[in-house]
Amino acid sequence: MAHAVYKNNPVAEFLFANTKMAGFWLLVRLYLGWQWTTAGWGKVTSEAWTGAEAGSSIVGFVTRALEKTEGAHPDVTGWYAWFLENVVLPNAEVWGYMVAYGELIVGVALIIGLLTGIAAFFGLFMNLNFMLAG
């Protein structure tokens, strides 16, 4: 029996409550997990993210994002530019570690099926931040 949340929406019921979709969602979870894991591993093993030059990649990324705050149609909004300039840049080394290990943890959690809802939330949150940075 479908959950009460989906009873008025047959599309949502089929996508999220029907066991026939389990294989599809497994493939989606494994694919996204692999993408996050490989991206995170590349950062964890990089000197510019977690090594001797930790934070230098974040500085470059944020600097390019801040360049996109100008013009008639800026790619980066003012409030996010303020966050990048006043919170991320001064703590670039810490953010480098958080991004690198965050991506790796999200990916591994999705692959092994550990706390998938939480992992998906943090993956979505990181992806949103990449998008907000233009």
Side-chain angles (χ1 to χ4, degrees):
M1 180 167 166
H3 295 98
V5 175
Y6 306 124
K7 75 178 186 178
N8 293 328
N9 187 332
V11 174
E13 181 178 337
F14 176 72
L15 288 174
F16 304 118
N18 191 323
T19 57
K20 293 177 184 175
M21 291 301 293
F24 170 76
W25 290 117
L26 173 66
L27 291 175
V28 169
R29 185 173 57 90
L30 292 174
Y31 173 76
L32 290 175
W34 180 254
Q35 295 300 313
W36 282 108
T37 300
T38 56
W41 185 253
K43 289 176 178 68
V44 166
T45 58
S46 169
E47 292 290 315
W49 285 92
T50 60
E53 301 170 27
S56 61
S57 285
I58 287 283
V59 169
F61 180 79
V62 169
T63 301
R64 286 188 300 279
L66 290 173
E67 291 170 359
K68 299 175 185 179
T69 61
E70 305 289 323
H73 303 287
D75 290 335
V76 179
T77 61
W79 68 268
Y80 196 72
W82 180 93
F83 170 75
L84 291 174
E85 194 168 20
N86 295 292
V87 177
V88 177
L89 271 182
N91 304 296
E93 185 175 344
V94 172
W95 283 95
Y97 279 91
M98 286 176 35
V99 168
Y101 283 99
E103 287 182 2
L104 185 63
I105 290 167
V106 163
V108 170
L110 288 174
I111 288 172
I112 65 174
L114 179 67
L115 304 170
T116 55
I118 295 169
F121 169 79
F122 281 105
L124 181 67
F125 180 73
M126 283 189 288
N127 200 48
L128 176 65
N129 279 281
F130 296 143
M131 290 171 43
L132 286 171

